[in-house]
């Protein structure tokens, strides 16, 4: 997808801006290049950043580690690169949208619920909208992950024992179900690992 493609979709939906972070549907995990929407839209390959796409322009926020790299990699003159003192957060977005953005769209798979609540509280005059049309396309790449057992000498307990600890606690609390959304927790609970990510053996799953 090109930046102009997303901007055209915003115009068609009468939406002022789209907020994109360096994440996917497995929050707080590494992401392969083919899932990196900031890389796809701007050419910036760093591990952290926030991109605000407006109908005619865009702003990429990066921290000090990437000030030089971002300016070298982002060649689109319609994208302004701005370096923040600390990690770019939703608070850093505000100066670039204040007074010009009435509607701000985001992909709900890529942001923690707390982050969105913070946005809504910080920007009461802006309507924060979930992207129900998947404007960014698929969030996961095409590579198939190989899943393998984590040996007992490294994980300490068999998965059956870990599951029993969890289900015993559920019975004490009269719970019918327990939803594990964190990929690291799923990997630990089931003693499973994956080779999908180059720098982390996490099994990406719910």
């Amino acid at each position: 997808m090109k930046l102009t493609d997303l901007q055209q979709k915003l115009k068609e939906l009468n939406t002022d801006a789209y907020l994109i972070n360096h994440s996917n549907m497995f929050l707080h995990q590494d992401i392969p290049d083919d899932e990196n929407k900031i890389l796809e839209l701007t050419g910036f390959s760093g591990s952290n950043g926030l991109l605000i796409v407006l109908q005619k322009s865009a702003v990429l926020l990066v921290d000090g580690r990437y000030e030089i790299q971002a300016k070298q990699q982002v060649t689109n003159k319609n994208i302004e690169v701005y370096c923040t003192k600390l990690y770019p957060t939703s608070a850093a977005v505000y100066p670039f949208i204040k007074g010009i953005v009435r509607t701000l769209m985001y992909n709900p798979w890529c942001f923690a619920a707390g982050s969105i609540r913070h946005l809504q509280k910080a920007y009461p005059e802006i309507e924060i909208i979930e992207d129900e049309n998947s404007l960014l396309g698929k969030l996961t790449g095409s590579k198939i992950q190989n899943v393998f057992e984590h040996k007992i000498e490294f994980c300490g307990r068999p998965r059956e024992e870990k599951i029993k600890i969890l289900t015993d606690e559920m019975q004490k609390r009269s719970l019918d179900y327990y939803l594990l959304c964190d990929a690291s927790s799923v990997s630990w609970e089931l003693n499973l690992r994956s080779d999908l990510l180059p720098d982390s053996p996490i099994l990406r799953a719910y």
Side-chain angles (χ1 to χ4, degrees):
M1 173 188 290
K2 296 181 180 179
L3 181 66
T4 51
D5 296 330
L6 178 57
Q7 290 172 324
Q8 179 59 37
K9 292 178 180 179
L10 292 178
K11 293 175 184 176
E12 293 170 0
L13 294 172
N14 195 28
T15 301
D16 296 324
Y18 200 114
L19 181 63
I20 302 170
N21 61 359
H22 187 275
S23 188
N24 60 6
M25 61 191 300
F26 302 98
L27 302 180
H28 313 304
Q29 297 297 332
D30 296 336
I31 59 174
D33 285 349
D34 61 354
E35 297 178 7
N36 188 340
K37 297 302 178 180
I38 291 181
L39 172 63
E40 181 179 345
L41 293 169
T42 70
F44 171 63
S45 63
S47 65
N48 194 27
L50 270 178
L51 177 65
I52 309 105
V53 178
L54 304 166
Q55 290 187 6
K56 295 183 179 180
S57 62
V59 178
L60 175 63
L61 304 178
V62 299
D63 62 74
R65 295 174 297 168
Y66 297 117
E67 182 176 9
I68 297 174
Q69 176 184 337
K71 290 179 179 178
Q72 290 176 339
Q73 290 183 325
V74 179
T75 58
N76 188 331
K77 301 302 180 182
N78 291 319
I79 302 174
E80 177 185 356
V81 177
Y82 181 81
C83 181
T84 61
K85 293 181 179 179
L86 302 174
Y87 289 164
T89 64
S90 54
V93 173
Y94 193 61
F96 300 95
I97 62 177
K98 181 181 179 181
I100 60 173
V101 169
R102 296 161 299 142
T103 51
L104 178 65
M105 186 173 287
Y106 72 99
N107 191 310
W109 285 100
C110 298
F111 287 85
S115 298
I116 300 305
R117 285 195 296 268
H118 176 76
L119 276 174
Q120 293 168 333
K121 184 177 180 180
Y123 314 151
E125 75 279 17
I126 297 175
E127 184 181 4
I128 312 296
I129 306 171
E130 288 189 9
D131 176 7
E132 298 178 348
N133 300 294
S134 301
L135 299 188
L136 298 179
K138 288 180 60 179
L139 292 179
T140 54
S142 57
K143 182 181 177 182
I144 298 175
Q145 61 179 336
N146 295 310
V147 181
F148 53 91
E149 296 274 353
H150 194 44
K151 294 181 179 179
I152 192 67
E153 56 261 41
F154 302 122
C155 59
R157 291 175 173 173
R159 73 169 63 89
E160 292 81 5
E161 185 176 336
K162 293 180 178 180
I163 292 173
K164 187 176 187 306
I165 292 172
L166 179 58
T167 53
D168 285 349
E169 186 64 27
M170 289 170 60
Q171 289 178 356
K172 291 179 184 178
R173 298 171 179 263
S174 299
L175 299 177
D176 296 318
Y177 302 97
Y178 191 96
L179 176 62
L180 283 170
C181 296
D182 181 76
S184 300
S185 297
V186 175
S187 299
W188 181 88
E189 183 73 18
L190 300 180
N191 292 344
L192 294 176
R193 301 293 186 270
S194 164
D195 66 352
L196 179 69
L197 302 173
D199 302 314
S200 172
I202 293 299
L203 168 64
R204 304 197 309 171
Y206 290 115

